[in-house]
Amino acid sequence: MDLPPDTPRRPALPLSGGLFAELPPIGQEESFLPLLQSDTTCIERIVSRGHASPPGFWYDQPDDEWVMLASGAAELLFEDGRRLIMRPGDWVTIPARCRHRVESTGPETVWLAVHIRRLPGKVSCA
């Protein structure tokens, strides 16, 4: 079936990769790699190697975030005082504007994060 010339074409094969493939070298900063992005959703891989949020810094994101710890270990702190210790396979949904911070991560921590925009406008990775 022929499509009109202005119809966007999708790739014949899906894009693929490995969550643990080509991990960045140890560095000063966490690594954020968008894996898929649309107007409403961003899926990204985050690599943390002993990283934590700077003192006094709180994430206050405009989007809902679902995050799973794929490897390593992490501790999240929420503004209301709740602490969440995460091990591989653990996940958490963080609603938009829920202030939180990363208290600590292990030396080889890999996260899978999904950011979902409910408000008008584009979602952004990290």
Side-chain angles (χ1 to χ4, degrees), residues 3-126:
L3 298 173
D6 60 343
T7 301
R9 303 239 182 229
R10 295 186 179 264
L13 297 174
L15 298 176
S16 64
L19 192 61
F20 302 106
E22 300 178 20
L23 293 178
I26 295 173
Q28 299 289 333
E29 302 292 323
E30 284 182 298
S31 169
F32 298 86
L33 176 66
L35 303 174
L36 176 91
Q37 191 162 10
S38 73
D39 286 346
T40 60
T41 306
C42 175
I43 301 172
E44 68 180 342
R45 177 186 76 183
I46 305 168
V47 178
S48 306
R49 290 194 164 106
H51 293 99
S53 299
F57 174 84
W58 294 91
Y59 287 100
D60 188 1
Q61 299 161 262
D63 306 313
D64 292 334
E65 180 181 14
W66 178 91
V67 63
M68 182 189 80
L69 198 68
S71 69
E75 181 180 358
L76 301 179
L77 176 64
F78 295 87
E79 189 176 41
D80 66 4
R82 288 178 296 138
R83 288 185 181 273
L84 178 61
I85 296 174
M86 299 183 72
R87 302 282 180 241
D90 292 347
W91 59 270
V92 61
T93 301
I94 304 170
R97 299 294 176 211
C98 178
R99 288 172 50 102
H100 63 285
R101 53 182 281 110
V102 178
E103 284 290 285
S104 65
T105 61
E108 287 287 326
T109 301
V110 177
W111 313 76
L112 184 62
V114 180
H115 304 268
I116 302 168
R117 164 84 30 151
R118 289 195 258 167
L119 303 172
K122 268 193 166 172
V123 69
S124 63
C125 289

